[in-house]
Short mmCIF file of all heavy atoms in Angstrom, two decimals:
data_model
loop_
_atom_site.label_atom_id
_atom_site.label_comp_id
_atom_site.label_asym_id
_atom_site.label_seq_id
_atom_site.Cartn_x
_atom_site.Cartn_y
_atom_site.Cartn_z
N VAL A 1 33.05 -3.68 4.33
CA VAL A 1 31.80 -3.24 4.00
C VAL A 1 30.82 -3.14 5.09
O VAL A 1 30.68 -4.22 5.82
CB VAL A 1 31.18 -4.17 2.81
CG1 VAL A 1 29.83 -3.61 2.43
CG2 VAL A 1 32.06 -4.19 1.63
N ALA A 2 30.25 -2.04 5.37
CA ALA A 2 29.30 -1.96 6.48
C ALA A 2 27.86 -1.85 5.91
O ALA A 2 27.66 -1.21 4.87
CB ALA A 2 29.58 -0.64 7.29
N THR A 3 26.96 -2.50 6.68
CA THR A 3 25.59 -2.55 6.27
C THR A 3 24.93 -1.38 6.97
O THR A 3 24.97 -1.14 8.15
CB THR A 3 24.83 -3.79 6.59
OG1 THR A 3 25.58 -4.80 6.02
CG2 THR A 3 23.41 -3.81 6.06
N VAL A 4 24.17 -0.54 6.15
CA VAL A 4 23.46 0.54 6.69
C VAL A 4 22.02 0.48 6.20
O VAL A 4 21.76 0.15 5.13
CB VAL A 4 23.95 1.92 6.11
CG1 VAL A 4 23.23 3.16 6.63
CG2 VAL A 4 25.43 2.17 6.50
N GLY A 5 21.14 0.59 7.10
CA GLY A 5 19.66 0.44 6.74
C GLY A 5 18.77 1.38 7.57
O GLY A 5 19.21 1.97 8.58
N LEU A 6 17.62 1.52 7.05
CA LEU A 6 16.63 2.38 7.73
C LEU A 6 15.55 1.42 8.17
O LEU A 6 15.09 0.54 7.30
CB LEU A 6 16.17 3.46 6.91
CG LEU A 6 17.13 4.52 6.40
CD1 LEU A 6 16.55 5.45 5.55
CD2 LEU A 6 17.76 5.21 7.71
N GLU A 7 14.87 1.56 9.28
CA GLU A 7 13.74 0.81 9.65
C GLU A 7 12.59 1.42 8.93
O GLU A 7 12.37 2.60 8.97
CB GLU A 7 13.59 0.86 11.18
CG GLU A 7 12.55 -0.01 11.57
CD GLU A 7 12.40 -0.16 13.08
OE1 GLU A 7 13.41 -0.09 13.86
OE2 GLU A 7 11.29 -0.14 13.57
N GLU A 8 11.84 0.48 8.21
CA GLU A 8 10.72 0.89 7.44
C GLU A 8 9.45 0.71 8.22
O GLU A 8 9.17 -0.35 8.84
CB GLU A 8 10.67 0.13 6.17
CG GLU A 8 9.68 0.63 5.13
CD GLU A 8 9.74 -0.11 3.87
OE1 GLU A 8 10.73 0.00 3.17
OE2 GLU A 8 8.77 -0.80 3.50
N SER A 9 8.61 1.76 8.29
CA SER A 9 7.31 1.63 8.93
C SER A 9 6.32 1.21 7.89
O SER A 9 6.16 1.84 6.93
CB SER A 9 6.95 3.03 9.55
OG SER A 9 5.71 2.96 10.04
N LYS A 10 5.73 0.04 8.03
CA LYS A 10 4.84 -0.59 7.09
C LYS A 10 3.41 -0.36 7.38
O LYS A 10 2.99 -0.32 8.54
CB LYS A 10 5.17 -2.09 6.87
CG LYS A 10 6.60 -2.27 6.42
CD LYS A 10 6.77 -3.80 6.22
CE LYS A 10 8.18 -3.96 5.55
NZ LYS A 10 8.41 -5.40 5.36
N LEU A 11 2.55 -0.46 6.39
CA LEU A 11 1.22 -0.40 6.43
C LEU A 11 0.76 -1.93 6.27
O LEU A 11 0.73 -2.53 5.24
CB LEU A 11 0.50 0.39 5.29
CG LEU A 11 0.56 1.87 5.34
CD1 LEU A 11 0.14 2.44 4.09
CD2 LEU A 11 -0.13 2.36 6.43
N ASP A 12 0.53 -2.56 7.55
CA ASP A 12 0.29 -3.95 7.49
C ASP A 12 -1.09 -4.44 7.16
O ASP A 12 -1.43 -5.58 6.68
CB ASP A 12 0.63 -4.54 8.88
CG ASP A 12 2.15 -4.60 9.19
OD1 ASP A 12 2.91 -4.49 8.22
OD2 ASP A 12 2.45 -4.27 10.36
N ASN A 13 -2.02 -3.50 7.25
CA ASN A 13 -3.46 -3.81 7.15
C ASN A 13 -3.97 -3.25 5.76
O ASN A 13 -5.15 -2.90 5.78
CB ASN A 13 -4.24 -3.44 8.25
CG ASN A 13 -3.89 -2.09 8.87
OD1 ASN A 13 -2.99 -1.33 8.34
ND2 ASN A 13 -4.49 -1.70 9.91
N LEU A 14 -3.18 -3.18 4.81
CA LEU A 14 -3.62 -2.74 3.48
C LEU A 14 -3.82 -3.95 2.60
O LEU A 14 -2.83 -4.76 2.63
CB LEU A 14 -2.69 -1.75 2.90
CG LEU A 14 -3.01 -1.04 1.65
CD1 LEU A 14 -2.64 0.46 1.70
CD2 LEU A 14 -2.43 -1.68 0.37
N ARG A 15 -4.82 -4.03 1.90
CA ARG A 15 -5.06 -5.30 0.97
C ARG A 15 -5.24 -4.64 -0.43
O ARG A 15 -5.87 -3.69 -0.70
CB ARG A 15 -6.30 -6.00 1.39
CG ARG A 15 -6.22 -6.75 2.70
CD ARG A 15 -7.33 -7.71 2.95
NE ARG A 15 -7.81 -8.30 1.74
CZ ARG A 15 -9.19 -8.39 1.41
NH1 ARG A 15 -9.99 -7.93 2.20
NH2 ARG A 15 -9.52 -9.05 0.33
N LEU A 16 -4.64 -5.43 -1.40
CA LEU A 16 -4.66 -5.11 -2.80
C LEU A 16 -5.23 -6.44 -3.61
O LEU A 16 -4.57 -7.42 -3.33
CB LEU A 16 -3.20 -4.81 -3.16
CG LEU A 16 -2.89 -4.58 -4.70
CD1 LEU A 16 -3.48 -3.22 -5.08
CD2 LEU A 16 -1.38 -4.69 -4.82
N PHE A 17 -6.26 -6.13 -4.28
CA PHE A 17 -6.86 -7.34 -4.93
C PHE A 17 -7.59 -6.89 -6.18
O PHE A 17 -8.01 -5.72 -6.31
CB PHE A 17 -7.84 -8.21 -4.01
CG PHE A 17 -8.91 -7.35 -3.42
CD1 PHE A 17 -10.15 -7.27 -3.96
CD2 PHE A 17 -8.71 -6.61 -2.28
CE1 PHE A 17 -11.19 -6.64 -3.42
CE2 PHE A 17 -9.58 -5.79 -1.70
CZ PHE A 17 -10.96 -5.80 -2.30
N PRO A 18 -7.90 -7.73 -7.18
CA PRO A 18 -7.13 -8.97 -7.43
C PRO A 18 -5.78 -8.62 -8.03
O PRO A 18 -5.56 -7.71 -8.66
CB PRO A 18 -8.11 -9.68 -8.56
CG PRO A 18 -8.69 -8.48 -9.27
CD PRO A 18 -8.86 -7.34 -8.20
N ASN A 19 -4.87 -9.62 -7.82
CA ASN A 19 -3.55 -9.40 -8.36
C ASN A 19 -3.04 -10.82 -8.85
O ASN A 19 -2.82 -11.66 -7.99
CB ASN A 19 -2.64 -8.82 -7.30
CG ASN A 19 -1.39 -8.31 -7.90
OD1 ASN A 19 -1.18 -8.19 -9.10
ND2 ASN A 19 -0.40 -8.03 -7.04
N PRO A 20 -2.88 -11.01 -10.10
CA PRO A 20 -2.99 -10.24 -11.23
C PRO A 20 -4.32 -9.65 -11.54
O PRO A 20 -5.33 -10.20 -11.11
CB PRO A 20 -2.52 -11.02 -12.48
CG PRO A 20 -2.54 -12.33 -12.00
CD PRO A 20 -2.54 -12.44 -10.52
N THR A 21 -4.44 -8.49 -12.14
CA THR A 21 -5.78 -7.84 -12.46
C THR A 21 -5.97 -7.64 -13.95
O THR A 21 -4.91 -7.65 -14.72
CB THR A 21 -5.81 -6.40 -11.82
OG1 THR A 21 -7.02 -5.82 -12.10
CG2 THR A 21 -4.71 -5.52 -12.32
N ASP A 22 -7.15 -7.55 -14.38
CA ASP A 22 -7.46 -7.36 -15.78
C ASP A 22 -7.68 -5.88 -16.03
O ASP A 22 -8.09 -5.53 -17.17
CB ASP A 22 -8.69 -8.22 -16.19
CG ASP A 22 -9.95 -7.89 -15.47
OD1 ASP A 22 -9.86 -7.02 -14.55
OD2 ASP A 22 -10.94 -8.52 -15.80
N GLY A 23 -7.50 -5.05 -15.10
CA GLY A 23 -7.68 -3.60 -15.20
C GLY A 23 -8.21 -2.90 -14.03
O GLY A 23 -7.79 -1.77 -13.73
N LEU A 24 -9.09 -3.50 -13.29
CA LEU A 24 -9.67 -2.75 -12.18
C LEU A 24 -9.02 -3.30 -10.91
O LEU A 24 -9.10 -4.48 -10.56
CB LEU A 24 -11.29 -3.01 -12.11
CG LEU A 24 -11.95 -2.10 -11.16
CD1 LEU A 24 -11.69 -0.64 -11.41
CD2 LEU A 24 -13.43 -2.45 -11.22
N LEU A 25 -8.29 -2.44 -10.21
CA LEU A 25 -7.61 -2.86 -8.99
C LEU A 25 -8.28 -2.19 -7.81
O LEU A 25 -8.63 -1.09 -7.71
CB LEU A 25 -6.16 -2.19 -9.14
CG LEU A 25 -5.14 -2.62 -7.94
CD1 LEU A 25 -4.85 -4.13 -7.98
CD2 LEU A 25 -3.93 -1.79 -8.26
N HIS A 26 -8.51 -2.99 -6.83
CA HIS A 26 -9.14 -2.61 -5.55
C HIS A 26 -8.19 -2.63 -4.43
O HIS A 26 -7.32 -3.46 -4.23
CB HIS A 26 -10.23 -3.64 -5.11
CG HIS A 26 -11.35 -3.75 -6.24
ND1 HIS A 26 -12.30 -2.75 -6.39
CD2 HIS A 26 -11.55 -4.76 -7.01
CE1 HIS A 26 -13.05 -3.19 -7.46
NE2 HIS A 26 -12.69 -4.31 -7.71
N ILE A 27 -8.23 -1.52 -3.65
CA ILE A 27 -7.35 -1.32 -2.45
C ILE A 27 -8.16 -1.06 -1.20
O ILE A 27 -9.00 -0.15 -1.24
CB ILE A 27 -6.36 -0.12 -2.74
CG1 ILE A 27 -5.55 -0.33 -4.03
CG2 ILE A 27 -5.43 0.10 -1.57
CD1 ILE A 27 -4.90 0.80 -4.46
N SER A 28 -7.97 -1.87 -0.22
CA SER A 28 -8.72 -1.74 1.07
C SER A 28 -7.75 -1.18 2.06
O SER A 28 -6.64 -1.79 2.26
CB SER A 28 -9.28 -3.04 1.39
OG SER A 28 -9.81 -2.99 2.71
N ILE A 29 -8.08 -0.10 2.72
CA ILE A 29 -7.24 0.55 3.75
C ILE A 29 -8.06 0.81 5.01
O ILE A 29 -9.18 0.98 4.95
CB ILE A 29 -6.55 1.83 3.28
CG1 ILE A 29 -7.61 2.89 2.99
CG2 ILE A 29 -5.69 1.58 2.05
CD1 ILE A 29 -6.97 4.27 2.69
N PRO A 30 -7.35 1.03 6.12
CA PRO A 30 -8.07 1.41 7.32
C PRO A 30 -8.69 2.91 7.16
O PRO A 30 -7.95 3.69 6.55
CB PRO A 30 -7.02 1.46 8.45
CG PRO A 30 -5.89 0.58 7.91
CD PRO A 30 -5.97 0.67 6.48
N ALA A 31 -9.91 3.12 7.47
CA ALA A 31 -10.59 4.45 7.26
C ALA A 31 -9.76 5.50 7.99
O ALA A 31 -9.84 6.66 7.55
CB ALA A 31 -11.95 4.33 7.80
N SER A 32 -9.13 5.20 8.95
CA SER A 32 -8.21 6.31 9.80
C SER A 32 -7.16 6.81 9.01
O SER A 32 -6.63 7.83 9.24
CB SER A 32 -7.75 5.72 11.09
OG SER A 32 -6.89 4.62 10.74
N LEU A 33 -6.72 6.07 7.91
CA LEU A 33 -5.57 6.50 7.17
C LEU A 33 -5.97 7.24 5.89
O LEU A 33 -5.09 7.69 5.12
CB LEU A 33 -4.64 5.40 6.78
CG LEU A 33 -4.00 4.59 7.84
CD1 LEU A 33 -3.28 3.41 7.42
CD2 LEU A 33 -3.02 5.52 8.66
N GLU A 34 -7.28 7.19 5.47
CA GLU A 34 -7.66 7.73 4.18
C GLU A 34 -7.35 9.18 3.88
O GLU A 34 -7.21 9.57 2.79
CB GLU A 34 -9.13 7.40 4.02
CG GLU A 34 -10.05 8.33 4.77
CD GLU A 34 -11.44 8.16 4.46
OE1 GLU A 34 -11.94 8.13 3.40
OE2 GLU A 34 -12.24 7.90 5.45
N GLN A 35 -7.28 10.01 4.91
CA GLN A 35 -7.10 11.44 4.66
C GLN A 35 -5.82 11.85 4.02
O GLN A 35 -5.81 12.69 3.11
CB GLN A 35 -7.32 12.21 5.90
CG GLN A 35 -8.71 12.11 6.57
CD GLN A 35 -9.74 12.70 5.66
OE1 GLN A 35 -9.61 13.64 4.88
NE2 GLN A 35 -10.92 11.95 5.61
N ASP A 36 -4.77 11.29 4.40
CA ASP A 36 -3.49 11.58 3.87
C ASP A 36 -2.81 10.51 3.09
O ASP A 36 -1.60 10.50 2.77
CB ASP A 36 -2.59 12.09 4.93
CG ASP A 36 -2.13 11.00 5.99
OD1 ASP A 36 -2.85 9.91 5.96
OD2 ASP A 36 -1.25 11.26 6.70
N MET A 37 -3.52 9.49 2.59
CA MET A 37 -3.09 8.33 1.79
C MET A 37 -2.89 8.76 0.40
O MET A 37 -3.76 9.40 -0.19
CB MET A 37 -4.07 7.17 1.86
CG MET A 37 -3.67 5.92 1.13
SD MET A 37 -2.20 5.06 1.80
CE MET A 37 -2.87 4.42 3.17
N THR A 38 -1.76 8.51 -0.19
CA THR A 38 -1.39 8.72 -1.53
C THR A 38 -1.07 7.32 -2.28
O THR A 38 -0.42 6.43 -1.58
CB THR A 38 -0.29 9.72 -1.83
OG1 THR A 38 0.88 9.17 -1.20
CG2 THR A 38 -0.58 11.06 -1.26
N PHE A 39 -1.48 7.26 -3.48
CA PHE A 39 -1.21 6.04 -4.36
C PHE A 39 -0.39 6.49 -5.54
O PHE A 39 -0.88 7.40 -6.24
CB PHE A 39 -2.46 5.45 -4.81
CG PHE A 39 -3.57 5.00 -3.67
CD1 PHE A 39 -4.67 5.66 -3.39
CD2 PHE A 39 -3.17 3.96 -2.84
CE1 PHE A 39 -5.46 5.36 -2.37
CE2 PHE A 39 -3.98 3.64 -1.74
CZ PHE A 39 -5.17 4.27 -1.60
N THR A 40 0.64 5.72 -5.71
CA THR A 40 1.49 6.04 -6.96
C THR A 40 1.79 4.68 -7.66
O THR A 40 2.12 3.76 -6.91
CB THR A 40 2.84 6.72 -6.53
OG1 THR A 40 2.53 7.90 -5.74
CG2 THR A 40 3.61 7.20 -7.80
N ILE A 41 1.65 4.61 -8.89
CA ILE A 41 1.99 3.45 -9.60
C ILE A 41 3.02 3.76 -10.68
O ILE A 41 2.95 4.75 -11.40
CB ILE A 41 0.57 2.92 -10.44
CG1 ILE A 41 -0.30 2.49 -9.37
CG2 ILE A 41 1.06 1.70 -11.24
CD1 ILE A 41 -1.61 2.04 -9.85
N TYR A 42 4.10 2.87 -10.60
CA TYR A 42 5.35 3.05 -11.42
C TYR A 42 5.36 1.98 -12.57
O TYR A 42 4.93 0.78 -12.22
CB TYR A 42 6.62 2.97 -10.64
CG TYR A 42 6.72 4.05 -9.58
CD1 TYR A 42 6.16 3.81 -8.27
CD2 TYR A 42 7.27 5.23 -9.77
CE1 TYR A 42 6.21 4.74 -7.32
CE2 TYR A 42 7.35 6.23 -8.88
CZ TYR A 42 6.83 5.94 -7.61
OH TYR A 42 6.91 7.00 -6.61
#
């Protein structure tokens, strides 16, 4: 068995709060990333 992986490029300076939430979720991101940032919830 050989292990194959991809190096993942992470967004280290993104904050998500409060978690757990009662409905309103806040996401803080660097302003430089806002133009092409997408949010998906599964």
Side-chain angles (χ1 to χ4, degrees):
V1 179
T3 305
V4 177
L6 298 174
E7 187 174 320
E8 189 175 292
S9 180
K10 295 185 179 182
L11 290 169
D12 294 328
N13 42 3
L14 187 140
R15 289 189 38 225
L16 175 72
F17 57 95
N19 194 12
T21 181
D22 61 359
L24 193 59
L25 185 66
H26 302 287
I27 303 168
S28 174
I29 65 169
S32 61
L33 297 176
E34 73 177 307
Q35 294 302 320
D36 64 347
M37 177 73 69
T38 59
F39 303 108
T40 309
I41 298 178
Y42 300 89

